[in-house]
Amino acid sequence: MADSGVAVGAASPVDEVRGGLSLIIGGGLFLGLGLLLGDVRLSIIALSVGGALTLAGLYLRLVPKGLPAQASATLRPARRVLALDPAPSFLTDVDGAVIYANPAAVRRFGEERAQSLVEAMTGLAAYPSAVALRLADRVEDEGWAQEDVVTRQGFLRVTVARLATGLLSWRLEEIPDRTATTRGAEAISLPMLTVNASGTVLFVNEALRRILGGRPRQLDRIFVDLPLRDGAIHRITTPSGTVPVRAVMLDGAAGRTEIFLAPVAADAPAGSADFDALPIAVVAMDTEGRLRRANRAARELLGLADDKSDLSAVIDGPGRPFARWVAEAAAARDRVRPEIVSARGRGGERFLRVTLGRADGPDGPEVIGVLSDVTEMKALEGQLVQSQKMHAVGQLAGGIAHDFNNLLTAISGHCDLLLLRHDPGDGDYADLTQIAENANRAAALVAQLLAFSRKQTLRLEVMDVRDTLSDLAHLLNRLVGERVTLSVRNEPDLPNIRADRRNLEQVLVNLVVNARDAMAEGGEIRIRTARRHLDEDERIGEARVPPGEYVQITVEDDGPGIPEEILRKVFEPFFTTKPQGEGTGLGLSTSYGIVKQMGGYIFADSPAGGGAVFTLLLPATDEEAEARPAGPRPPRVSRRGQQRTVMLVEDEAPVRAFAARALTMMGHKVLAASSGEEALEILAGDAPSVDLVVTDVVMPGIDGPTWVRRAFGDAPEIPIVFVSGYAEGNVLSGADSMPGAEFLGKPFSLSALNDLVSRKLGPAEPSETAEEPVEGGAV
């Protein structure tokens, strides 16, 4: 692409502001003074000083300064990049002298104006020199700076970055205001104006200019009774005197406020064309919340048939009844802080931003409500919060998953080996089974945390909640301790649900542990299940639950309860009331996400008498529960086949010891190595030919896929099994093109390892005299 930008050698007005211009102006003053002085000696001195300053200023302006070597080397690639930028961009030296203006700057400002950064901003910002100086000072300290400058059409985003010593990059991005563009404002007949945070008038539409007889620059030149109150009646100054108007205010971008002025003359009807023409939704209510009138935008937004509709049936109060909220606004002297509330209008449920303000209406005191639809903003906000939360959870889970899964592999693996030497009738067999079950549950929790952080599809199955609670009873009783009692009561006629068993167990464990922690002096935790049928939509807390059949699970404790201000935050990620170091704040937020993923609802309540109650509503199903195994699958090894050679590479010694023993018990010859480098050394020696490779993926030094490719090429003819404590998708990017490779996630059991090896090789013949694993170092 041809670069049609402009390379500039002269100084810009920023340079003039910083040096040359100041010297020239000072020199001119001294020259003028010298010509006016009557004393010859003083006149000569003044003329000499003036001439010296003027020459110095001209030198600074007209003689381009050379760039440092680093900046000169950066200049050419920087120009190539800026040439592709659709926004006007400049390269300057540290004094602000423009070295290069990209094609977008030339198209936007013209070739002459593009030679000066401040000149380019002059038509956009009120004080471009001050903006340039502020940003230049900040970039000197921080290396990067940005400022949004309010303009008539929106705002100008000025970004400056230090590319190299002596070289700065400037970018001017004009961002129009989406609230009310100038063209749209000129098209409406309703008077309106735009002001910034300091009260400077940025824009006045034609309708208001006709009324005012001009375009005032400050609010106090328009209104006689500042400060403005949203929805209140104010008086404006016109050539024929003051006129009452109702001011409706709407917050815009970059600190701007749009102010619409509706007439309030005695002969203006409540449903006047001007009120109806307001481009934003406005309602007027009496002090008890009864609707008096609504303009067209409000009627369309809320789906109101007429001005007699009941607003409280459409708009929910912000955590308190709608009528009480309106009464509070009527009693306030200034406009009430905007609230985000849910509403039911055309198109279903949505979120509204509502600002209430007291006003004097034709029928007495009233409350004006300005409504704006923020459903999309709330959705984006929710996505952002979810993304940030899941990123943090994923960082946490991913950091511990590998090491934790290595430990669990060693624990569960050696437990499997012990189970092979005990019969179910032995006294130790039950204890070993408990170790295995809890190791599996710990592994499941790590896997679920990883899966939830990625928002993966859950493994849903039809299940009976009573079976889950029965399985958990032993663990929960151990968790609550001796000072807390746990009681479970199930409704006999309880329908099945479709849920992820392990995730539901995690939610129940989280709720029980929180209840236990809330009762330092002891007490009772009550878990109750019941069938709940809803004939129609029901509002529970801040949620709307659709009609249907549900299974309700409640977890109630005898603790001190949860204060109202904390109750609203209990499901927020990382919010905890526990002392530092004792809580992560992830338990309830994770539980909330799990329940929502399963299509259910979770609510927190704290009755007046004390204690906390958490309620789960899970959709019921008519499907039959799936058959469940009677108990944990006992470990097994294959009993027939021929001996094969397996190369085992694992950097964790306990995991390597378990896997080597397991493979040996299967009847295979094992070549064990603690790293990829050691595996390559073994293969380079007199080792027998290898029939199967079982290797960890992430290891110090050479990783699993890399050493396998070095040893066997990109398409190994022998089967490869990769094992790792990380999630499969995060570690196999280097092995996904390797044909025949399979993944075995840690922690893995003896049975899982046996099944996979048998499938790849066929079963081997175990022997009581099987050879010990061969490796470079001791296992």
Side-chain angles (χ1 to χ4, degrees):
M1 177 182 293
D3 182 357
S4 57
V6 176
V8 184
S12 74
V14 178
D15 187 37
E16 298 168 9
V17 172
R18 286 185 171 274
L21 184 60
S22 300
L23 293 175
I24 293 172
I25 293 173
L29 292 175
F30 273 98
L31 289 174
L33 182 63
L35 294 175
L36 295 176
L37 289 173
D39 190 301
V40 176
R41 185 177 62 179
L42 293 177
S43 178
I44 293 174
I45 294 174
L47 290 171
S48 301
V49 172
L53 291 174
T54 302
L55 289 174
L58 290 172
Y59 174 81
L60 289 175
R61 288 201 61 195
L62 300 178
V63 179
K65 302 173 180 60
L67 290 173
Q70 182 186 6
S72 299
T74 308
L75 184 59
R76 186 182 298 273
R79 286 181 54 170
R80 285 200 299 267
V81 172
L82 293 189
L84 303 174
D85 194 337
S89 302
F90 302 83
L91 292 174
T92 74
D93 63 15
V94 292
D95 292 323
V98 174
I99 300 167
Y100 170 74
N102 76 341
V106 176
R107 288 193 301 269
R108 174 65 179 85
F109 304 114
E111 187 169 335
E112 184 175 349
R113 285 182 64 194
Q115 297 183 22
S116 165
L117 181 64
V118 173
E119 184 65 26
M121 289 194 293
T122 297
L124 302 174
Y127 303 101
S129 299
V131 174
L133 287 172
R134 272 198 310 272
L135 290 172
D137 289 339
R138 284 174 54 193
V139 81
E140 185 176 347
D141 298 331
E142 304 170 17
W144 182 90
Q146 186 178 85
E147 184 173 327
D148 289 343
V149 182
V150 177
T151 66
R152 293 181 182 179
Q153 288 76 29
F155 59 95
L156 175 69
R157 177 162 293 165
V158 185
T159 307
V160 57
R162 183 171 60 236
L163 302 183
T165 303
L167 183 63
L168 304 181
S169 169
W170 299 75
R171 190 174 192 269
L172 310 182
E173 183 180 6
E174 296 176 73
I175 302 176
D177 181 20
R178 304 300 181 190
T179 305
T181 61
T182 301
R183 181 179 301 176
E186 291 288 13
I188 64 175
S189 61
L190 195 71
M192 65 84 59
L193 67 153
T194 304
V195 298
N196 64 12
S198 64
T200 301
V201 177
L202 304 174
F203 170 75
V204 178
N205 74 344
E206 177 61 26
L208 184 55
R209 289 198 296 271
R210 287 198 306 267
I211 295 173
L212 300 177
R215 184 190 180 283
R217 298 288 181 179
Q218 294 292 329
L219 272 181
D220 56 6
R221 300 296 180 91
I222 301 175
F223 296 92
V224 299
D225 48 357
L226 295 176
L228 295 180
R229 292 188 296 117
D230 191 16
I233 295 176
H234 292 271
R235 304 191 70 85
I236 61 173
T237 303
T238 71
S240 58
T242 61
V243 176
V245 294
R246 187 181 302 282
V248 179
M249 305 166 66
L250 185 65
D251 294 335
R256 301 172 61 190
T257 302
E258 307 287 349
I259 305 173
F260 297 88
L261 306 180
V264 292
D267 58 349
S272 68
D274 285 326
F275 178 73
D276 234 30
L278 276 169
I280 53 179
V282 181
V283 295
M285 302 163 284
D286 64 18
T287 55
E288 296 180 0
R290 289 186 290 266
L291 181 64
R292 286 181 175 174
R293 59 190 179 280
N295 71 342
R296 183 176 62 248
R299 294 194 299 272
E300 292 177 353
L301 177 64
L302 300 175
L304 302 177
D306 50 40
D307 290 349
K308 304 301 181 184
S309 302
D310 182 7
L311 278 183
S312 63
V314 181
I315 302 176
D316 296 323
R320 54 194 183 277
F322 180 81
R324 190 172 121 202
W325 179 34
V326 175
E328 291 173 359
R333 294 189 175 183
D334 203 349
R335 63 172 172 168
V336 180
R337 181 176 61 87
E339 298 276 8
I340 305 295
V341 298
S342 60
R344 291 160 299 285
R346 291 177 183 170
E349 187 171 6
R350 61 184 65 200
F351 289 96
L352 300 180
R353 181 178 184 271
V354 182
T355 304
L356 300 181
R358 186 183 61 179
D360 296 322
D363 299 322
E366 61 185 16
V367 175
I368 299 295
V370 180
L371 321 177
S372 52
D373 191 345
V374 294
T375 304
E376 184 177 350
M377 183 195 74
K378 286 291 290 183
L380 293 174
E381 179 184 319
Q383 292 173 11
L384 176 61
V385 171
Q386 176 73 6
S387 173
Q388 292 173 335
K389 177 179 67 175
M390 291 304 99
H391 176 72
V393 172
Q395 292 267 17
L396 173 67
I400 67 171
H402 182 258
D403 292 337
F404 194 51
N405 281 333
N406 275 327
L407 295 173
L408 288 173
T409 301
I411 293 170
S412 61
H414 285 93
C415 183
D416 285 347
L417 294 175
L418 286 171
L419 283 169
L420 287 175
R421 303 208 299 265
H422 290 76
D423 293 326
D426 292 349
D428 295 335
Y429 191 87
D431 293 333
L432 291 173
T433 302
Q434 279 294 318
I435 294 173
E437 286 181 351
N438 284 280
N440 291 338
R441 180 169 283 116
L445 290 178
V446 175
Q448 290 152 22
L449 188 58
L450 284 170
F452 179 54
S453 69
R454 297 191 304 269
K455 299 192 72 175
Q456 291 183 343
T457 304
L458 301 177
R459 295 185 178 92
L460 300 179
E461 59 178 290
V462 179
M463 54 183 289
D464 190 330
V465 171
R466 293 169 294 187
D467 292 339
T468 301
L469 288 172
S470 177
D471 294 342
L472 276 178
H474 184 68
L475 174 62
L476 293 179
N477 276 302
R478 289 192 175 186
L479 285 175
V480 298
E482 297 179 355
R483 307 181 69 177
V484 177
T485 59
L486 176 70
S487 66
V488 180
R489 189 174 67 200
N490 294 309
E491 183 175 308
D493 183 23
L494 201 64
N496 293 327
I497 63 171
R498 178 175 288 277
D500 183 297
R501 187 179 303 276
R502 291 299 185 187
N503 274 293
L504 181 58
E505 289 177 354
Q506 181 182 351
V507 172
L508 294 172
V509 167
N510 285 343
L511 296 179
V512 169
V513 168
N514 282 345
R516 177 204 65 189
D517 293 343
M519 298 185 295
E521 303 300 323
E524 182 184 10
I525 300 174
R526 295 171 290 280
I527 301 178
R528 302 289 183 261
T529 62
R531 176 196 293 264
R532 184 165 180 179
H533 178 78
L534 301 181
D535 292 321
E536 57 184 15
D537 286 3
E538 184 169 328
R539 175 68 55 176
I540 303 177
E542 296 299 319
R544 181 179 60 85
V545 183
E549 198 78 18
Y550 294 89
V551 171
Q552 176 177 291
I553 307 173
T554 58
V555 179
E556 183 178 359
D557 63 58
D558 292 333
I562 307 174
E564 184 178 352
E565 63 274 11
I566 294 178
L567 198 61
R568 296 192 297 266
K569 302 178 182 179
V570 292
F571 295 118
E572 294 182 4
F574 306 110
F575 176 80
T576 179
T577 58
K578 296 178 181 178
Q580 186 173 1
E582 295 185 16
T584 63
L586 288 173
L588 287 177
S589 63
T590 301
S591 299
Y592 177 87
I594 291 173
V595 173
K596 293 298 288 184
Q597 279 187 290
M598 293 190 295
Y601 300 84
I602 181 170
F603 308 99
D605 192 18
S606 186
V613 180
F614 285 85
T615 303
L616 278 66
L617 288 180
L618 300 172
T621 180
D622 294 331
E623 300 176 66
E624 292 295 326
E626 300 171 10
R628 302 179 56 212
R633 181 182 175 186
R636 67 181 190 278
V637 294
S638 303
R639 294 297 175 186
R640 295 186 304 277
Q642 59 180 357
Q643 187 184 62
R644 303 293 185 91
T645 300
V646 179
M647 167 64 76
L648 171 66
V649 185
E650 169 60 60
D651 62 308
E652 288 288 333
V655 178
R656 188 169 68 250
F658 153 63
R661 285 185 58 190
L663 291 168
T664 301
M665 292 176 64
M666 295 175 200
H668 300 299
K669 181 180 176 114
V670 180
L671 304 177
S674 60
S675 66
E677 292 87 349
E678 186 179 355
L680 292 174
E681 291 177 5
I682 293 175
L683 293 175
D686 298 329
S689 60
V690 174
D691 300 301
L692 171 71
V693 170
V694 179
T695 177
D696 195 5
V697 177
V698 180
M699 298 181 291
I702 306 176
D703 62 32
T706 301
W707 85 257
V708 168
R709 281 197 170 89
R710 290 186 186 178
F712 305 105
D714 290 334
E717 296 181 357
I718 62 172
I720 308 294
V721 175
F722 291 105
V723 297
S724 179
Y726 292 109
E728 179 177 0
N730 295 336
V731 297
L732 282 189
S733 58
D736 52 8
S737 61
M738 201 174 292
E742 290 203 34
F743 180 80
L744 180 62
K746 296 178 182 177
F748 53 85
S749 64
L750 177 61
S751 298
L753 180 62
N754 176 76
D755 289 347
L756 183 54
V757 171
S758 298
R759 189 171 73 249
K760 305 296 279 187
L761 291 178
E765 179 65 40
S767 171
E768 296 296 332
T769 59
E771 298 181 26
E772 288 297 317
V774 178
E775 65 170 312
V779 175

